[in-house]
PDB file of all heavy atoms in Angstrom:
ATOM      1  N   ASP A  21     111.567  84.526 103.336  1.00  0.00           N
ATOM      2  CA  ASP A  21     112.253  83.429 104.015  1.00  0.00           C
ATOM      3  C   ASP A  21     112.297  82.171 103.148  1.00  0.00           C
ATOM      4  O   ASP A  21     113.164  81.317 103.343  1.00  0.00           O
ATOM      5  CB  ASP A  21     111.533  83.081 105.325  1.00  0.00           C
ATOM      6  CG  ASP A  21     111.557  84.230 106.334  1.00  0.00           C
ATOM      7  OD1 ASP A  21     112.474  85.065 106.262  1.00  0.00           O
ATOM      8  OD2 ASP A  21     110.651  84.271 107.190  1.00  0.00           O
ATOM      9  N   ASP A  22     111.351  82.039 102.232  1.00  0.00           N
ATOM     10  CA  ASP A  22     111.176  80.803 101.472  1.00  0.00           C
ATOM     11  C   ASP A  22     111.620  80.963 100.018  1.00  0.00           C
ATOM     12  O   ASP A  22     111.615  82.064  99.478  1.00  0.00           O
ATOM     13  CB  ASP A  22     109.705  80.374 101.508  1.00  0.00           C
ATOM     14  CG  ASP A  22     108.773  81.462 100.996  1.00  0.00           C
ATOM     15  OD1 ASP A  22     109.114  82.660 101.110  1.00  0.00           O
ATOM     16  OD2 ASP A  22     107.696  81.141 100.474  1.00  0.00           O
ATOM     17  N   PRO A  23     111.992  79.862  99.363  1.00  0.00           N
ATOM     18  CA  PRO A  23     112.266  79.925  97.918  1.00  0.00           C
ATOM     19  C   PRO A  23     110.977  80.238  97.159  1.00  0.00           C
ATOM     20  O   PRO A  23     109.888  79.794  97.546  1.00  0.00           O
ATOM     21  CB  PRO A  23     112.769  78.515  97.593  1.00  0.00           C
ATOM     22  CG  PRO A  23     113.160  77.908  98.899  1.00  0.00           C
ATOM     23  CD  PRO A  23     112.251  78.521  99.920  1.00  0.00           C
ATOM     24  N   ARG A  24     111.118  80.986  96.062  1.00  0.00           N
ATOM     25  CA  ARG A  24     109.939  81.475  95.364  1.00  0.00           C
ATOM     26  C   ARG A  24     109.884  80.965  93.926  1.00  0.00           C
ATOM     27  O   ARG A  24     110.922  80.741  93.282  1.00  0.00           O
ATOM     28  CB  ARG A  24     109.953  83.008  95.318  1.00  0.00           C
ATOM     29  CG  ARG A  24     109.913  83.650  96.678  1.00  0.00           C
ATOM     30  CD  ARG A  24     108.596  83.353  97.381  1.00  0.00           C
ATOM     31  NE  ARG A  24     107.498  84.059  96.743  1.00  0.00           N
ATOM     32  CZ  ARG A  24     106.216  83.686  96.836  1.00  0.00           C
ATOM     33  NH1 ARG A  24     105.879  82.614  97.492  1.00  0.00           N
ATOM     34  NH2 ARG A  24     105.278  84.406  96.247  1.00  0.00           N
ATOM     35  N   PRO A  25     108.677  80.805  93.380  1.00  0.00           N
ATOM     36  CA  PRO A  25     108.556  80.532  91.947  1.00  0.00           C
ATOM     37  C   PRO A  25     108.978  81.754  91.147  1.00  0.00           C
ATOM     38  O   PRO A  25     109.043  82.873  91.676  1.00  0.00           O
ATOM     39  CB  PRO A  25     107.062  80.229  91.779  1.00  0.00           C
ATOM     40  CG  PRO A  25     106.404  80.962  92.904  1.00  0.00           C
ATOM     41  CD  PRO A  25     107.376  80.909  94.043  1.00  0.00           C
ATOM     42  N   LEU A  26     109.256  81.546  89.872  1.00  0.00           N
ATOM     43  CA  LEU A  26     109.703  82.645  89.021  1.00  0.00           C
ATOM     44  C   LEU A  26     108.683  83.773  88.989  1.00  0.00           C
ATOM     45  O   LEU A  26     109.045  84.958  89.096  1.00  0.00           O
ATOM     46  CB  LEU A  26     109.968  82.114  87.612  1.00  0.00           C
ATOM     47  CG  LEU A  26     110.388  83.135  86.555  1.00  0.00           C
ATOM     48  CD1 LEU A  26     111.635  83.889  86.977  1.00  0.00           C
ATOM     49  CD2 LEU A  26     110.601  82.439  85.210  1.00  0.00           C
ATOM     50  N   GLY A  27     107.397  83.436  88.852  1.00  0.00           N
ATOM     51  CA  GLY A  27     106.376  84.479  88.824  1.00  0.00           C
ATOM     52  C   GLY A  27     106.347  85.287  90.107  1.00  0.00           C
ATOM     53  O   GLY A  27     106.193  86.519  90.096  1.00  0.00           O
ATOM     54  N   GLY A  28     106.500  84.618  91.242  1.00  0.00           N
ATOM     55  CA  GLY A  28     106.525  85.322  92.517  1.00  0.00           C
ATOM     56  C   GLY A  28     107.747  86.217  92.660  1.00  0.00           C
ATOM     57  O   GLY A  28     107.674  87.316  93.219  1.00  0.00           O
ATOM     58  N   LEU A  29     108.893  85.756  92.137  1.00  0.00           N
ATOM     59  CA  LEU A  29     110.104  86.578  92.205  1.00  0.00           C
ATOM     60  C   LEU A  29     109.976  87.818  91.324  1.00  0.00           C
ATOM     61  O   LEU A  29     110.445  88.909  91.700  1.00  0.00           O
ATOM     62  CB  LEU A  29     111.314  85.745  91.784  1.00  0.00           C
ATOM     63  CG  LEU A  29     112.683  86.384  91.997  1.00  0.00           C
ATOM     64  CD1 LEU A  29     112.887  86.796  93.439  1.00  0.00           C
ATOM     65  CD2 LEU A  29     113.786  85.429  91.555  1.00  0.00           C
ATOM     66  N   LEU A  30     109.330  87.682  90.169  1.00  0.00           N
ATOM     67  CA  LEU A  30     109.075  88.850  89.331  1.00  0.00           C
ATOM     68  C   LEU A  30     108.207  89.866  90.067  1.00  0.00           C
ATOM     69  O   LEU A  30     108.470  91.072  90.030  1.00  0.00           O
ATOM     70  CB  LEU A  30     108.389  88.425  88.027  1.00  0.00           C
ATOM     71  CG  LEU A  30     109.289  87.867  86.924  1.00  0.00           C
ATOM     72  CD1 LEU A  30     108.449  87.198  85.852  1.00  0.00           C
ATOM     73  CD2 LEU A  30     110.140  88.981  86.324  1.00  0.00           C
ATOM     74  N   GLN A  31     107.161  89.379  90.730  1.00  0.00           N
ATOM     75  CA  GLN A  31     106.316  90.280  91.509  1.00  0.00           C
ATOM     76  C   GLN A  31     107.137  90.976  92.592  1.00  0.00           C
ATOM     77  O   GLN A  31     107.023  92.181  92.812  1.00  0.00           O
ATOM     78  CB  GLN A  31     105.160  89.498  92.145  1.00  0.00           C
ATOM     79  CG  GLN A  31     103.953  89.311  91.269  1.00  0.00           C
ATOM     80  CD  GLN A  31     103.088  90.561  91.188  1.00  0.00           C
ATOM     81  OE1 GLN A  31     103.377  91.590  91.794  1.00  0.00           O
ATOM     82  NE2 GLN A  31     102.000  90.470  90.437  1.00  0.00           N
ATOM     83  N   GLY A  32     107.974  90.200  93.279  1.00  0.00           N
ATOM     84  CA  GLY A  32     108.750  90.774  94.364  1.00  0.00           C
ATOM     85  C   GLY A  32     109.734  91.828  93.907  1.00  0.00           C
ATOM     86  O   GLY A  32     109.842  92.898  94.501  1.00  0.00           O
ATOM     87  N   VAL A  33     110.457  91.542  92.830  1.00  0.00           N
ATOM     88  CA  VAL A  33     111.457  92.510  92.391  1.00  0.00           C
ATOM     89  C   VAL A  33     110.780  93.775  91.871  1.00  0.00           C
ATOM     90  O   VAL A  33     111.304  94.888  92.046  1.00  0.00           O
ATOM     91  CB  VAL A  33     112.400  91.891  91.340  1.00  0.00           C
ATOM     92  CG1 VAL A  33     111.791  91.862  89.942  1.00  0.00           C
ATOM     93  CG2 VAL A  33     113.732  92.632  91.311  1.00  0.00           C
ATOM     94  N   TYR A  34     109.609  93.630  91.253  1.00  0.00           N
ATOM     95  CA  TYR A  34     108.900  94.821  90.790  1.00  0.00           C
ATOM     96  C   TYR A  34     108.494  95.692  91.976  1.00  0.00           C
ATOM     97  O   TYR A  34     108.625  96.921  91.930  1.00  0.00           O
ATOM     98  CB  TYR A  34     107.670  94.418  89.974  1.00  0.00           C
ATOM     99  CG  TYR A  34     107.107  95.560  89.159  1.00  0.00           C
ATOM    100  CD1 TYR A  34     107.714  95.930  87.962  1.00  0.00           C
ATOM    101  CD2 TYR A  34     106.000  96.271  89.588  1.00  0.00           C
ATOM    102  CE1 TYR A  34     107.227  96.991  87.210  1.00  0.00           C
ATOM    103  CE2 TYR A  34     105.495  97.330  88.840  1.00  0.00           C
ATOM    104  CZ  TYR A  34     106.120  97.688  87.652  1.00  0.00           C
ATOM    105  OH  TYR A  34     105.631  98.747  86.927  1.00  0.00           O
ATOM    106  N   ALA A  35     108.021  95.049  93.037  1.00  0.00           N
ATOM    107  CA  ALA A  35     107.638  95.804  94.230  1.00  0.00           C
ATOM    108  C   ALA A  35     108.845  96.493  94.851  1.00  0.00           C
ATOM    109  O   ALA A  35     108.774  97.666  95.260  1.00  0.00           O
ATOM    110  CB  ALA A  35     106.968  94.879  95.243  1.00  0.00           C
ATOM    111  N   PHE A  36     109.967  95.789  94.908  1.00  0.00           N
ATOM    112  CA  PHE A  36     111.115  96.361  95.612  1.00  0.00           C
ATOM    113  C   PHE A  36     111.865  97.399  94.788  1.00  0.00           C
ATOM    114  O   PHE A  36     112.616  98.202  95.350  1.00  0.00           O
ATOM    115  CB  PHE A  36     112.028  95.247  96.118  1.00  0.00           C
ATOM    116  CG  PHE A  36     111.604  94.769  97.481  1.00  0.00           C
ATOM    117  CD1 PHE A  36     110.564  93.861  97.609  1.00  0.00           C
ATOM    118  CD2 PHE A  36     112.197  95.264  98.627  1.00  0.00           C
ATOM    119  CE1 PHE A  36     110.138  93.449  98.860  1.00  0.00           C
ATOM    120  CE2 PHE A  36     111.782  94.863  99.878  1.00  0.00           C
ATOM    121  CZ  PHE A  36     110.745  93.947 100.008  1.00  0.00           C
ATOM    122  N   VAL A  37     111.653  97.445  93.493  1.00  0.00           N
ATOM    123  CA  VAL A  37     112.124  98.611  92.734  1.00  0.00           C
ATOM    124  C   VAL A  37     111.415  99.862  93.240  1.00  0.00           C
ATOM    125  O   VAL A  37     112.036 100.910  93.481  1.00  0.00           O
ATOM    126  CB  VAL A  37     111.897  98.418  91.224  1.00  0.00           C
ATOM    127  CG1 VAL A  37     112.061  99.735  90.475  1.00  0.00           C
ATOM    128  CG2 VAL A  37     112.871  97.387  90.661  1.00  0.00           C
ATOM    129  N   GLY A  38     110.100  99.768  93.432  1.00  0.00           N
ATOM    130  CA  GLY A  38     109.358 100.903  93.965  1.00  0.00           C
ATOM    131  C   GLY A  38     109.790 101.260  95.371  1.00  0.00           C
ATOM    132  O   GLY A  38     109.925 102.448  95.723  1.00  0.00           O
ATOM    133  N   ILE A  39     110.010 100.256  96.213  1.00  0.00           N
ATOM    134  CA  ILE A  39     110.453 100.501  97.582  1.00  0.00           C
ATOM    135  C   ILE A  39     111.802 101.209  97.604  1.00  0.00           C
ATOM    136  O   ILE A  39     112.004 102.187  98.344  1.00  0.00           O
ATOM    137  CB  ILE A  39     110.521  99.164  98.346  1.00  0.00           C
ATOM    138  CG1 ILE A  39     109.107  98.641  98.632  1.00  0.00           C
ATOM    139  CG2 ILE A  39     111.316  99.300  99.647  1.00  0.00           C
ATOM    140  CD1 ILE A  39     109.065  97.226  99.150  1.00  0.00           C
ATOM    141  N   THR A  40     112.727 100.741  96.787  1.00  0.00           N
ATOM    142  CA  THR A  40     114.056 101.357  96.751  1.00  0.00           C
ATOM    143  C   THR A  40     113.973 102.794  96.248  1.00  0.00           C
ATOM    144  O   THR A  40     114.660 103.689  96.762  1.00  0.00           O
ATOM    145  CB  THR A  40     114.999 100.534  95.855  1.00  0.00           C
ATOM    146  OG1 THR A  40     114.926  99.160  96.239  1.00  0.00           O
ATOM    147  CG2 THR A  40     116.430 101.008  95.980  1.00  0.00           C
ATOM    148  N   GLU A  41     113.124 103.023  95.259  1.00  0.00           N
ATOM    149  CA  GLU A  41     112.930 104.393  94.764  1.00  0.00           C
ATOM    150  C   GLU A  41     112.384 105.308  95.850  1.00  0.00           C
ATOM    151  O   GLU A  41     112.766 106.480  95.947  1.00  0.00           O
ATOM    152  CB  GLU A  41     111.982 104.371  93.571  1.00  0.00           C
ATOM    153  CG  GLU A  41     112.605 103.854  92.283  1.00  0.00           C
ATOM    154  CD  GLU A  41     113.411 104.936  91.592  1.00  0.00           C
ATOM    155  OE1 GLU A  41     112.831 105.812  90.941  1.00  0.00           O
ATOM    156  OE2 GLU A  41     114.655 104.908  91.720  1.00  0.00           O
ATOM    157  N   PHE A  42     111.484 104.782  96.690  1.00  0.00           N
ATOM    158  CA  PHE A  42     110.966 105.606  97.789  1.00  0.00           C
ATOM    159  C   PHE A  42     112.084 105.993  98.746  1.00  0.00           C
ATOM    160  O   PHE A  42     112.231 107.166  99.110  1.00  0.00           O
ATOM    161  CB  PHE A  42     109.860 104.874  98.552  1.00  0.00           C
ATOM    162  CG  PHE A  42     109.478 105.599  99.823  1.00  0.00           C
ATOM    163  CD1 PHE A  42     108.636 106.695  99.775  1.00  0.00           C
ATOM    164  CD2 PHE A  42     109.993 105.204 101.055  1.00  0.00           C
ATOM    165  CE1 PHE A  42     108.300 107.388 100.941  1.00  0.00           C
ATOM    166  CE2 PHE A  42     109.663 105.883 102.222  1.00  0.00           C
ATOM    167  CZ  PHE A  42     108.813 106.975 102.159  1.00  0.00           C
ATOM    168  N   TRP A  43     112.870 105.002  99.188  1.00  0.00           N
ATOM    169  CA  TRP A  43     113.929 105.338 100.147  1.00  0.00           C
ATOM    170  C   TRP A  43     114.946 106.276  99.516  1.00  0.00           C
ATOM    171  O   TRP A  43     115.491 107.164 100.197  1.00  0.00           O
ATOM    172  CB  TRP A  43     114.598 104.069 100.640  1.00  0.00           C
ATOM    173  CG  TRP A  43     113.716 103.215 101.512  1.00  0.00           C
ATOM    174  CD1 TRP A  43     113.303 101.937 101.260  1.00  0.00           C
ATOM    175  CD2 TRP A  43     113.129 103.594 102.762  1.00  0.00           C
ATOM    176  NE1 TRP A  43     112.489 101.503 102.277  1.00  0.00           N
ATOM    177  CE2 TRP A  43     112.364 102.486 103.215  1.00  0.00           C
ATOM    178  CE3 TRP A  43     113.166 104.742 103.547  1.00  0.00           C
ATOM    179  CZ2 TRP A  43     111.655 102.514 104.416  1.00  0.00           C
ATOM    180  CZ3 TRP A  43     112.454 104.769 104.741  1.00  0.00           C
ATOM    181  CH2 TRP A  43     111.714 103.671 105.168  1.00  0.00           C
ATOM    182  N   ARG A  44     115.195 106.121  98.240  1.00  0.00           N
ATOM    183  CA  ARG A  44     116.105 107.038  97.557  1.00  0.00           C
ATOM    184  C   ARG A  44     115.577 108.473  97.621  1.00  0.00           C
ATOM    185  O   ARG A  44     116.332 109.405  97.918  1.00  0.00           O
ATOM    186  CB  ARG A  44     116.252 106.594  96.105  1.00  0.00           C
ATOM    187  CG  ARG A  44     117.138 107.488  95.254  1.00  0.00           C
ATOM    188  CD  ARG A  44     116.921 107.207  93.767  1.00  0.00           C
ATOM    189  NE  ARG A  44     118.024 107.608  92.936  1.00  0.00           N
ATOM    190  CZ  ARG A  44     118.034 107.546  91.625  1.00  0.00           C
ATOM    191  NH1 ARG A  44     116.969 107.061  90.994  1.00  0.00           N
ATOM    192  NH2 ARG A  44     119.076 107.928  90.922  1.00  0.00           N
ATOM    193  N   ALA A  45     114.298 108.634  97.340  1.00  0.00           N
ATOM    194  CA  ALA A  45     113.710 109.977  97.313  1.00  0.00           C
ATOM    195  C   ALA A  45     113.506 110.546  98.708  1.00  0.00           C
ATOM    196  O   ALA A  45     113.521 111.778  98.892  1.00  0.00           O
ATOM    197  CB  ALA A  45     112.368 109.926  96.571  1.00  0.00           C
ATOM    198  N   TYR A  46     113.307 109.695  99.689  1.00  0.00           N
ATOM    199  CA  TYR A  46     113.027 110.154 101.051  1.00  0.00           C
ATOM    200  C   TYR A  46     114.286 110.646 101.759  1.00  0.00           C
ATOM    201  O   TYR A  46     114.224 111.509 102.639  1.00  0.00           O
ATOM    202  CB  TYR A  46     112.383 109.007 101.834  1.00  0.00           C
ATOM    203  CG  TYR A  46     112.012 109.325 103.264  1.00  0.00           C
ATOM    204  CD1 TYR A  46     111.323 110.497 103.595  1.00  0.00           C
ATOM    205  CD2 TYR A  46     112.342 108.455 104.294  1.00  0.00           C
ATOM    206  CE1 TYR A  46     110.966 110.780 104.903  1.00  0.00           C
ATOM    207  CE2 TYR A  46     111.991 108.729 105.610  1.00  0.00           C
ATOM    208  CZ  TYR A  46     111.306 109.895 105.917  1.00  0.00           C
ATOM    209  OH  TYR A  46     110.965 110.172 107.217  1.00  0.00           O
ATOM    210  N   ARG A  47     115.451 110.134 101.374  1.00  0.00           N
ATOM    211  CA  ARG A  47     116.677 110.454 102.098  1.00  0.00           C
ATOM    212  C   ARG A  47     116.942 111.955 102.226  1.00  0.00           C
ATOM    213  O   ARG A  47     117.295 112.431 103.310  1.00  0.00           O
ATOM    214  CB  ARG A  47     117.875 109.762 101.442  1.00  0.00           C
ATOM    215  CG  ARG A  47     117.842 108.255 101.552  1.00  0.00           C
ATOM    216  CD  ARG A  47     119.120 107.619 101.036  1.00  0.00           C
ATOM    217  NE  ARG A  47     119.454 108.021  99.690  1.00  0.00           N
ATOM    218  CZ  ARG A  47     120.678 108.035  99.184  1.00  0.00           C
ATOM    219  NH1 ARG A  47     121.703 107.675  99.941  1.00  0.00           N
ATOM    220  NH2 ARG A  47     120.887 108.395  97.937  1.00  0.00           N
ATOM    221  N   PRO A  48     116.792 112.748 101.163  1.00  0.00           N
ATOM    222  CA  PRO A  48     117.134 114.170 101.290  1.00  0.00           C
ATOM    223  C   PRO A  48     116.230 114.952 102.241  1.00  0.00           C
ATOM    224  O   PRO A  48     116.657 115.986 102.769  1.00  0.00           O
ATOM    225  CB  PRO A  48     116.988 114.695  99.851  1.00  0.00           C
ATOM    226  CG  PRO A  48     117.072 113.491  98.984  1.00  0.00           C
ATOM    227  CD  PRO A  48     116.464 112.391  99.770  1.00  0.00           C
ATOM    228  N   VAL A  49     114.995 114.493 102.453  1.00  0.00           N
ATOM    229  CA  VAL A  49     114.080 115.260 103.302  1.00  0.00           C
ATOM    230  C   VAL A  49     113.968 114.679 104.699  1.00  0.00           C
ATOM    231  O   VAL A  49     113.465 115.340 105.610  1.00  0.00           O
ATOM    232  CB  VAL A  49     112.674 115.346 102.673  1.00  0.00           C
ATOM    233  CG1 VAL A  49     112.756 115.961 101.291  1.00  0.00           C
ATOM    234  CG2 VAL A  49     112.000 113.989 102.621  1.00  0.00           C
ATOM    235  N   ALA A  50     114.426 113.441 104.895  1.00  0.00           N
ATOM    236  CA  ALA A  50     114.359 112.830 106.219  1.00  0.00           C
ATOM    237  C   ALA A  50     115.384 113.482 107.145  1.00  0.00           C
ATOM    238  O   ALA A  50     116.424 113.988 106.708  1.00  0.00           O
ATOM    239  CB  ALA A  50     114.618 111.333 106.119  1.00  0.00           C
ATOM    240  N   THR A  51     115.100 113.468 108.432  1.00  0.00           N
ATOM    241  CA  THR A  51     116.007 114.056 109.420  1.00  0.00           C
ATOM    242  C   THR A  51     116.270 113.060 110.537  1.00  0.00           C
ATOM    243  O   THR A  51     115.478 112.145 110.784  1.00  0.00           O
ATOM    244  CB  THR A  51     115.408 115.345 110.021  1.00  0.00           C
ATOM    245  OG1 THR A  51     114.146 115.031 110.632  1.00  0.00           O
ATOM    246  CG2 THR A  51     115.198 116.407 108.958  1.00  0.00           C
ATOM    247  N   GLY A  52     117.391 113.256 111.238  1.00  0.00           N
ATOM    248  CA  GLY A  52     117.699 112.453 112.407  1.00  0.00           C
ATOM    249  C   GLY A  52     117.776 110.972 112.102  1.00  0.00           C
ATOM    250  O   GLY A  52     118.344 110.537 111.094  1.00  0.00           O
ATOM    251  N   ALA A  53     117.160 110.185 112.992  1.00  0.00           N
ATOM    252  CA  ALA A  53     117.195 108.732 112.844  1.00  0.00           C
ATOM    253  C   ALA A  53     116.500 108.282 111.568  1.00  0.00           C
ATOM    254  O   ALA A  53     116.893 107.287 110.947  1.00  0.00           O
ATOM    255  CB  ALA A  53     116.546 108.076 114.061  1.00  0.00           C
ATOM    256  N   ALA A  54     115.472 109.034 111.148  1.00  0.00           N
ATOM    257  CA  ALA A  54     114.743 108.652 109.932  1.00  0.00           C
ATOM    258  C   ALA A  54     115.658 108.685 108.708  1.00  0.00           C
ATOM    259  O   ALA A  54     115.541 107.850 107.808  1.00  0.00           O
ATOM    260  CB  ALA A  54     113.544 109.564 109.718  1.00  0.00           C
ATOM    261  N   ARG A  55     116.590 109.633 108.687  1.00  0.00           N
ATOM    262  CA  ARG A  55     117.505 109.694 107.549  1.00  0.00           C
ATOM    263  C   ARG A  55     118.453 108.496 107.555  1.00  0.00           C
ATOM    264  O   ARG A  55     118.739 107.919 106.498  1.00  0.00           O
ATOM    265  CB  ARG A  55     118.308 110.990 107.584  1.00  0.00           C
ATOM    266  CG  ARG A  55     119.366 111.057 106.495  1.00  0.00           C
ATOM    267  CD  ARG A  55     120.025 112.404 106.402  1.00  0.00           C
ATOM    268  NE  ARG A  55     119.120 113.378 105.809  1.00  0.00           N
ATOM    269  CZ  ARG A  55     119.467 114.638 105.519  1.00  0.00           C
ATOM    270  NH1 ARG A  55     120.688 115.061 105.771  1.00  0.00           N
ATOM    271  NH2 ARG A  55     118.589 115.461 104.991  1.00  0.00           N
TER     272      ARG A  55
END
């Protein structure tokens, strides 16, 4: 919700690369609403 310092934004984008990779990998095995 808040503006972030550069160091905090680096931390965030690194975390969300991992998050996006998880959802990418989960899609083929998820079913129903989870997919």
Side-chain angles (χ1 to χ4, degrees):
D21 296 335
D22 56 332
R24 298 295 290 158
L26 177 57
L29 189 56
L30 279 167
Q31 275 282 0
V33 80
Y34 196 79
F36 272 81
V37 166
I39 288 169
T40 310
E41 285 279 282
F42 170 80
W43 291 118
R44 178 196 202 184
Y46 181 47
R47 293 187 306 154
V49 303
T51 59
R55 175 172 287 185

